[in-house]
Amino acid sequence: MTHEELVAAYAAPGRHYHDLSHIEDCLARLGRVADLGVGDREILTQAIWWHDVVYDPRRSDNEEQSAVLAEQHVAPELRDEVARLIRLTQTHDVAPGDRRGALLISIDLAVLGADDATYDAYAQAIRREYAHVPDDAYRAGRAAVLERFASRPVIYPDPAFAAALDAKARANLARELKQLRS
């Protein structure tokens, strides 16, 4: 898969949030992490590019399929770690001491701690990605996902992201949950 094909995958019809803008936002956030070595930055850059390359809201194995594609296309010395990181995006669970994992998950979830307008646009984009799901089922499913994040003691496993975004993320989650239940 060439870089052009990778970019094209993010431009596929039906992608309203999991698109190239999401990747660009993630890369920009990675760029603001100051204390990373060249090797860590390259691994995380590749993980960001590949983590949502497969995205079909009707399937539950997108992360696994994205990891498999990364294993086929990323440089051999990076592929195992890049694939491992991508697989973390299935559950967003990160082991203590896994800085790369903490950064990737925190970057991927950063939108939860965005300003109201950005968060609302994100929530609307997710709804458009799940347009095939009837309203009642969508509200129940989306609420369950948001409740899982809200119930976590830590949404952002990276301490800097947690300090900057946790309070706003919790407020956004509570606000959307209230809307979903009304």
Side-chain angles (χ1 to χ4, degrees):
M1 180 173 254
T2 67
H3 182 73
E4 291 75 24
E5 291 169 327
L6 188 60
V7 169
Y10 286 102
R15 286 185 182 240
H16 302 282
Y17 174 72
H18 294 92
D19 59 8
L20 193 56
S21 293
H22 171 57
I23 300 306
E24 291 168 344
D25 180 61
C26 289
L27 291 170
R29 288 180 184 280
L30 176 63
R32 292 191 292 273
V33 176
D35 59 339
L36 274 181
V38 173
D40 286 335
R41 192 168 299 280
E42 178 61 18
I43 288 167
L44 284 162
T45 297
Q46 291 298 317
I48 287 168
W49 268 109
W50 290 93
H51 83 283
D52 283 329
V53 69
V54 175
Y55 187 76
D56 179 348
R58 297 171 193 263
R59 296 181 59 142
S60 62
D61 65 346
N62 292 311
E63 295 83 0
E64 180 60 28
Q65 294 306 312
S66 294
V68 167
L69 273 176
E71 288 170 329
Q72 294 168 357
H73 297 284
V74 172
E77 65 275 12
L78 305 178
R79 71 175 44 132
D80 290 345
E81 181 63 359
V82 168
R84 181 190 75 80
L85 291 170
I86 292 167
R87 288 181 174 103
L88 291 178
T89 66
Q90 172 70 37
T91 63
H92 298 94
D93 292 332
V94 179
D98 180 2
R99 178 141 195 257
R100 289 177 190 153
L103 283 169
L104 179 64
I105 296 308
S106 296
I107 288 168
D108 191 35
L109 296 179
V111 69
L112 299 180
D115 62 81
D116 288 1
T118 301
Y119 183 89
D120 292 346
Y122 148 76
Q124 291 167 3
I126 294 294
R127 180 62 181 117
R128 285 193 308 274
E129 287 183 344
Y130 285 85
H132 63 281
V133 178
D135 284 341
D136 287 345
Y138 178 80
R139 282 194 300 275
R142 179 73 175 161
V145 168
L146 299 181
E147 287 166 351
R148 280 195 300 276
F149 283 120
S151 69
R152 289 175 176 235
V154 174
I155 294 172
Y156 300 100
D158 179 77
F161 278 86
L165 300 174
D166 188 79
K168 183 60 178 164
R170 291 184 187 284
N172 283 333
L173 294 172
R175 188 166 53 85
E176 186 179 357
L177 280 165
K178 183 177 178 183
Q179 292 168 351
L180 290 167
R181 293 177 179 138
S182 63

